[in-house]
C-alpha cells in the first residue's frame, strides 16, 4: 500500500543522501515473484509521490521507462 511504501522509504531516511533506485527499496520477500515485485514497486512509487508532495524527497527519471531514482532532501 501507499502507507507501507512511505514507511519503507522512511526506514532509509539518513541513507538516501545519494540517488538510489526505487527497485533497491523493495523488500526482499517481495522480490520472489513478478507479481509481488510489481506490487512492492507500486507501493514504493506511490509512497515516494506522497513524500515528494510533503517535500521530504525528490525523484528523477532520465527517459520514459528508465529506472526511477529517489533522494532525500535535507
Amino acid at each position: 500500500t501507499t502507507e507501507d511504501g512511505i514507511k519503507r522509504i522512511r526506514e532509509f531516511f539518513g541513507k538516501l543522501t545519494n540517488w538510489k533506485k526505487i527497485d533497491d527499496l523493495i523488500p526482499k520477500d517481495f522480490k520472489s515473484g513478478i507479481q509481488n515485485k510489481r506490487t512492492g514497486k507500486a507501493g514504493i512509487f506511490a509512497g515516494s509521490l506522497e513524500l515528494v508532495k510533503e517535500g521530504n524527497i525528490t525523484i528523477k527519471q532520465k527517459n520514459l521507462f528508465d529506472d526511477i531514482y529517489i533522494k532525500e532532501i535535507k
Side-chain angles (χ1 to χ4, degrees), residues 18-60:
N18 294 317
W19 292 104
K20 188 165 188 79
K21 280 187 357 180
I22 279 186
D23 291 349
D24 295 342
L25 302 179
I26 299 171
K28 290 182 183 183
D29 56 333
F30 275 83
K31 291 185 178 183
S32 60
I34 199 140
Q35 185 62 37
N36 285 342
K37 186 173 181 179
R38 287 181 183 161
T39 301
K41 191 171 190 172
I44 296 286
F45 181 69
S48 70
L49 293 177
E50 280 297 315
L51 291 171
V52 165
K53 191 167 100 176
E54 293 174 7
N56 295 311
I57 65 169
T58 185
I59 60 176
K60 75 173 181 177

